[in-house]
Amino acid sequence: MARPYAIYDVFTSERLTGNPLAVVFEADGLDDRKMQAIAAEFNLSETVFVFQPTQPGHAARLKIFTPGRELPFAGHPTVGAAIAIAERKNGASNQDIVHVLEENIGPVRCAVRLKADATTFAEFDLPRKSVRLDAHFDRQALSDALSLKSTQIGFENHVPSFWSAGVPFVMVPLHDLAAVSAVDFDPVAWEQLAPLADGILASAYLYCRGGVNHTARFHARMFAPGLRMMEDPATGSAVAAFSGAIHHFDQLMDGHYPVLIEQGVEMGRPSLIHLHVDVHKGEIATARIGGEAVKIAGGELYL
């Protein structure tokens, strides 16, 4: 059976940058074992499979796989799939579309802005708010795993912390751009210190203020040896978790906060992730993540 697929570069408007994603359409009939094998065959950070929805009015049911395991939720597959589904159905047109994608974490509401003469943009509401998890981190062990000096870890009141909005991450603040760029990540050392949550080894999300792009508020890198990927050029699920850290450490007052985060610069695949946080009565009321995506390839799987 021939199943159509497309490759999109996500969180970018420029091909061969951002985070590549495989989108497999008409996936009904594939089991988890076959999908895991397909994801390993593509060998991208994530592959998303598009099924018929289980609820009327929803756009699709999604299943998301890294080369090593299935994920309950991920940001760049959500953005990429929302755009791929909208473009496949509507072609080059000018319209705004709101649809719901069913993921293992639950229903995810997405808004897609199609423009005939521009790159498509999509954003989604976080299906689960970021929560801080209990963990203690030895600064020297962290610095050894990153090949940095312990004095390069932390800035202002930001300290290493453990957060999840569906996928767990250890948030490691670094002093500046030079420290982030100098990281030489040791996956063996990381696996010895990283905590588990929901059976998933926490990935490393390293960040500092500012960016190479002058519009960026934060510069980040992400490493995920537990998911059989080393560095990732753009990680929406990490930004979802990071929203809690921003709110906590920056002590956000009530209001709306747009935050642009750059990632993938050191990999030569720069990405820009849009985060919007709304704070009400001292708590995060809503948060959204968005970005652009551009199709780079397409074809058929004979499975």
Side-chain angles (χ1 to χ4, degrees):
M1 177 179 179
R3 301 177 190 272
Y5 75 88
I7 305 293
Y8 275 77
D9 286 336
V10 185
F11 291 124
T12 182
S13 60
E14 184 178 342
R15 290 179 175 87
L16 304 180
T17 65
N19 199 353
L21 171 74
V23 184
V24 179
F25 302 101
E26 301 175 17
D28 297 271
L30 292 174
D31 60 22
D32 288 354
R33 182 189 62 81
K34 185 66 68 68
M35 285 185 283
Q36 186 64 78
I38 293 169
E41 183 82 6
F42 277 119
N43 201 31
L44 300 176
S45 58
E46 279 137 343
T47 298
V48 59
F49 296 86
V50 181
F51 295 80
Q52 289 296 316
T54 63
Q55 299 295 321
H58 291 180
R61 163 92 171 119
L62 304 183
K63 288 177 75 68
I64 301 166
F65 287 80
T66 74
R69 64 169 298 152
E70 184 175 7
L71 294 177
F73 160 74
H76 108 274
T78 300
V79 167
I83 289 173
I85 291 167
E87 290 185 346
R88 188 167 187 250
K89 180 178 180 180
N90 299 281
S93 58
N94 294 294
Q95 57 180 307
D96 293 335
I97 299 168
V98 176
H99 56 212
V100 175
L101 301 176
E102 301 169 6
E103 301 187 20
N104 286 357
I105 199 172
V108 182
R109 179 182 176 275
C110 304
V112 182
R113 184 180 308 126
L114 288 167
K115 290 188 176 181
D117 57 350
T119 308
T120 304
F121 179 91
E123 65 178 6
F124 62 88
D125 298 333
L126 263 60
R128 184 182 299 175
K129 293 181 183 178
S130 177
V131 295
R132 189 172 186 178
L133 306 176
D134 185 43
H136 172 74
F137 300 102
D138 180 86
R139 189 178 292 255
Q140 187 60 54
L142 281 173
S143 61
D144 290 345
L146 304 179
S147 304
L148 296 176
K149 298 176 181 178
S150 61
T151 54
Q152 293 175 291
I153 294 179
F155 62 82
E156 301 161 12
N157 66 328
H158 285 244
V159 297
S161 55
F162 189 25
W163 298 82
S164 176
V167 180
F169 293 89
V170 177
M171 303 290 166
V172 185
L174 298 180
H175 186 264
D176 53 22
L177 278 169
V180 178
S181 298
V183 166
D184 185 5
F185 187 78
D186 184 340
V188 175
W190 183 261
E191 288 176 1
Q192 293 173 349
L193 69 85
L196 289 166
D198 297 325
I200 300 175
L201 184 75
S203 302
Y205 190 72
L206 321 177
Y207 68 94
C208 68
R209 290 208 193 275
V212 175
N213 186 316
H214 73 279
T215 62
R217 291 275 302 278
F218 291 96
H219 178 92
R221 299 178 73 178
M222 197 286 282
F223 299 87
L227 300 177
R228 277 183 53 188
M229 69 174 82
M230 281 301 292
E231 188 164 2
D232 192 39
T235 318
S237 57
V239 171
F242 188 41
S243 65
I246 294 172
H247 174 252
H248 175 78
F249 291 115
D250 286 351
Q251 301 175 347
L252 301 182
M253 306 294 288
D254 286 7
H256 174 74
Y257 297 87
V259 181
L260 188 64
I261 300 164
E262 69 177 18
Q263 191 179 328
V265 173
E266 288 80 5
M267 301 177 68
R269 297 193 66 96
S271 308
L272 290 174
I273 303 174
H274 297 258
L275 169 66
H276 291 264
V277 178
D278 292 292
V279 179
H280 180 64
K281 294 183 178 180
E283 302 292 335
I284 294 179
T286 59
R288 304 186 307 280
I289 289 173
E292 296 170 290
V294 56
K295 186 177 180 180
I296 189 168
E300 292 182 328
L301 290 174
Y302 301 108
L303 296 166

